[in-house]
Amino acid sequence: MLKWLAVVLLALLGLLQYRLWLGEGGVRELTHIRARADTLDDENATLRERNQRLAAEVIDLKNGLDAIEERARSDIGMIRKDEQFFWVPDVKVPDGEPAPSRPGTDTEARP
């Protein structure tokens, strides 16, 4: 009888060890979850930095006309009435510099 009790307890211990290391909610699953959490933390850090840049740009756009003017110039190619625009075709732009946009407005001055 004592022999059978020892066998049953060893079997129960083995089953519990299996569940601890390999079963649902065990150590293996915990390591996978921690690795996934670390990956998501890295992605969130990148997105947080992007959100901070966008928030700063929103504040700049709300508070000053310089940022609005810069966006109008770079995005849609606007110019002021007192400026002259010269478009030179086939100009090579060095890497890293934005290509000049060609305004489609009627206010552009022609050479």
Side-chain angles (χ1 to χ4, degrees):
M1 167 108 171
L2 194 57
K3 189 176 188 182
W4 287 106
L5 183 61
V7 169
V8 169
L9 289 177
L10 281 175
L12 186 60
L13 181 65
L15 180 64
L16 290 174
Q17 286 294 314
Y18 173 79
R19 289 198 63 201
L20 172 67
W21 295 103
L22 304 173
E24 183 179 336
V27 174
R28 185 190 322 170
E29 186 176 349
L30 179 64
T31 57
H32 289 294
I33 290 172
R34 284 185 178 164
R36 179 75 176 137
D38 290 341
T39 304
L40 292 175
D41 282 342
D42 292 341
E43 290 176 15
N44 283 341
T46 304
L47 293 174
R48 268 189 225 102
E49 290 173 6
R50 184 179 135 237
N51 285 346
Q52 288 173 348
R53 284 192 309 269
L54 290 173
E57 186 175 345
V58 166
I59 290 170
D60 196 26
L61 287 171
K62 285 182 178 180
N63 294 336
L65 294 177
D66 293 336
I68 295 171
E69 183 178 340
E70 178 64 30
R71 286 297 287 266
R73 288 173 179 273
S74 65
D75 291 350
I76 58 177
M78 293 184 74
I79 59 172
R80 283 189 272 181
K81 289 183 180 181
D82 61 340
E83 292 179 331
Q84 291 184 351
F85 174 76
F86 297 96
W87 180 61
V88 182
D90 301 328
V91 173
K92 302 292 183 199
V93 177
D95 289 339
E97 292 184 23
S101 59
R102 182 176 179 197
T105 63
D106 292 334
T107 59
E108 68 182 54
R110 294 196 164 73

